[in-house]
Amino acid sequence: MAENVTQPTDASVDEFLASAEPAGRREDAAVLREMLDRVTGVTPVMWGPSIVGYGTYHYRYETGREGDMPVIGFSPRKASMSLYGVNYDGSDDLLAQLGPAKVGVGCVWVGRFAKLDLDVLERLFAEAWRRDGTPA
């Protein structure tokens, strides 16, 4: 079975976020970094080359595939901001209040934060962390 390519690394979160493009994505990433630092109380880690992750959880599928992933996290991609961990059982009402977003199985994609309700976003992350946020 192939190894999961999304593994924690020693890469600098600060350097990664400083290089995010476009500039607006960098600004939103700074807001998100401050929010998640406050919500979790832990230091983020780079997972693979492009995910800023907080905490660790172990997953195991019925197929036997297993691995580790961050409890919550984000990736400032050019087209949109990818949010990880906020699409959990019971998050539908909050996601509906967030603002423009595309909801997938593993993540939620959003555009610029000016169109989002940041209080709702913080509640989504705080609840996800409360449910699963036992830092490893």
Side-chain angles (χ1 to χ4, degrees):
M1 195 169 291
E3 184 176 322
N4 187 351
V5 295
T6 306
Q7 299 285 334
T9 72
D10 291 331
S12 168
V13 170
D14 291 331
E15 288 177 18
F16 170 69
L17 295 178
S19 69
E21 290 292 337
R25 196 72 63 223
R26 239 186 343 268
E27 293 165 7
D28 290 346
V31 169
L32 203 47
R33 165 83 189 265
E34 187 277 327
M35 179 189 294
L36 297 184
D37 284 358
R38 184 177 65 252
V39 164
T40 67
V42 301
T43 302
V45 171
M46 288 301 302
W47 285 73
S50 62
I51 296 175
V52 177
Y54 291 79
T56 303
Y57 79 91
H58 188 78
Y59 64 86
R60 183 178 322 212
Y61 297 128
E62 290 180 17
T63 62
R65 182 176 174 86
E66 62 182 297
D68 295 309
M69 288 296 291
V71 174
I72 58 177
F74 67 96
S75 183
R77 305 194 189 270
K78 283 186 181 181
S80 61
M81 183 76 75
S82 299
L83 310 175
Y84 300 97
V86 295
N87 189 8
Y88 48 83
D89 283 341
S91 67
D92 292 347
D93 288 343
L94 284 174
L95 286 169
Q97 298 171 43
L98 179 60
K102 180 179 176 187
V103 179
V105 174
C107 70
V108 173
W109 298 274
V110 297
R112 290 301 315 271
F113 283 12
K115 296 181 179 181
L116 299 181
D117 185 327
L118 295 182
D119 290 333
V120 170
L121 182 59
E122 185 164 343
R123 287 173 51 205
L124 279 161
F125 275 118
E127 178 60 17
W129 185 254
R130 185 192 67 74
R131 288 170 176 250
D132 299 312
T134 306

